[in-house]
Amino acid sequence: MFENRAEARIDLSRLTENIELLKNKCNTKLLAVVKADAYGHGLVEVAKAAESAGADWLGVALLEEAITLRKNGLKSPILAWLVPPGSDFQSAVDLDIDVAIADIKAFNEVSQLTVKPRIHIEVDTGMSRGGFLDEWNEFLTSDFSRVTIVGVFSHFARADEPQEKQNIQQLNQFKKMVSQLEAVGVHPQFKHLSNSAATFMNPDATFDFVRAGIAMYGLSPDVKSLGDSNKLSLKPVMQVRAKLHLVKSVPAGSAVGYGASHVTKHATKLGVIAMGYADGIPRIALNAGVFVNGGKAPIIGRVSMDQFVVDLGPNSLAKSGDWVIIFGDGSRGEYTADDWGDASSSINYEIVTRIGPRVPRIYAPHVY
Ligand SMILES: *Cc1c(COP(=O)(O)O)cnc(C)c1O
């Protein structure tokens, strides 16, 4: 039996626990956000686990993602929210997929279908990204008889900074736009606004369901303002580990990697890890590394496409072929996705999402 050179271990029982926690927290329905290959965790596997764990809806960005879910037998209501004019709306209707409508052009297209499409009206309440804004008044005069309006929704820009007044402004604007819709006789069954951060911080924004992404994967929406996974009682679902491809002793003064950006100060042992930026290890990562034999070994030199080098220390007992942990839940002292986010001027969302397709996802408990 051969082993992988690197793998992302996805513990779906942790996903289930996170969903249960979130459902208790919001006390309403939950839409499980599985866009971007379920934040790198595997679209279909995560969607199935989320459905079994009691998620009421599935949410994706792209229509293609929603189509994949239906083709793999997912039965829950599915909403796709990044569906521009010219999209395959006929497949959405055929496969019973709800689509977000954010402009008049797309609305006119879906109004032409012979079967009524199920739509959610997206409104821009202050993020200046998706949703109706300048076309809103004109849109309110539309003929809505050729569509089924299932929902109305918006998205917070700063839910992870609960003290920011933009949150209350967006909430009020949302309520205002919903009442304008109701004033023209449109009464969507589902109003939804909250992402993970708002699910924790803003109970007034819960409405008919919350759309939870990052927290379902056991990660904090913002470590600085909300605390880490532990503080929020979330269980990180993904652990990434890789093999030491080589271990070698080098003298002081050895230049390591492209550009010789690091030169060893002392004689030491180097570990070459069989993962690189093509696998999602950020090239700019500084002050991250791996967990090996119960301790941390920092990255030295530049991350290359398929590999990077860590300083194991002169007394390391590590051997080629040993497993090291790139990130996990931190419980043994290993680096976390939060640490890698910090180390690369980014966020945990990007770290898990960018783990590349060359890294097999293994649906099994984490190992140490
Ligand atoms: C990605 C996304 C979410 C989930 O956000 P999290 O912060 O991961 O919970 C919710 N709603 C929309 C519209 C999104 O694009």
Side-chain angles (χ1 to χ4, degrees), residues 251-368:
S254 301
V256 179
Y258 288 122
S261 62
H262 182 92
V263 176
T264 56
K265 290 201 179 61
H266 316 278
T268 190
K269 279 189 188 169
L270 302 183
V272 185
I273 312 291
M275 257 185 115
Y277 60 74
D279 301 300
I281 301 296
R283 184 170 175 277
I284 62 162
L286 273 178
N287 306 319
V290 303
F291 190 70
V292 50
N293 288 344
K296 284 176 170 170
I299 299 183
I300 55 173
R302 275 192 202 139
V303 173
S304 20
M305 190 183 293
D306 314 297
Q307 46 193 313
F308 66 95
V309 177
V310 297
D311 187 353
L312 295 167
N315 303 319
S316 174
L317 301 175
K319 302 176 300 301
S320 64
D322 285 355
W323 285 104
V324 302
I325 298 172
I326 311 289
F327 62 82
D329 67 12
S331 60
R332 309 294 202 282
E334 74 273 30
Y335 293 95
T336 61
D338 299 338
D339 294 331
W340 278 92
D342 277 350
S344 49
S345 312
S346 184
I347 50 175
N348 54 20
Y349 288 74
E350 186 176 352
I351 298 301
V352 290
T353 305
R354 64 187 284 158
I355 296 299
R358 298 201 304 191
V359 180
R361 273 58 174 173
I362 308 293
Y363 295 91
H366 300 175
V367 290
Y368 289 94

Side-chain angles (χ1 to χ4, degrees), residues 39-62:
Y39 291 39
H41 294 65
L43 174 64
V44 172
E45 292 82 356
V46 166
K48 285 182 176 166
E51 221 176 60
S52 318
D56 307 277
W57 284 75
L58 296 170
V60 288
L62 312 186

Side-chain angles (χ1 to χ4, degrees), residues 33 35 39 81 122 129 153-155 194-197 211-215 221 349:
V33 181
K35 64 189 179 188
Y39 291 39
W81 53 71
E122 184 182 6
R129 201 182 64 177
F153 76 104
S154 189
H155 193 52
S194 289
N195 54 7
S196 294
R211 303 184 306 266
I214 199 73
Y349 288 74

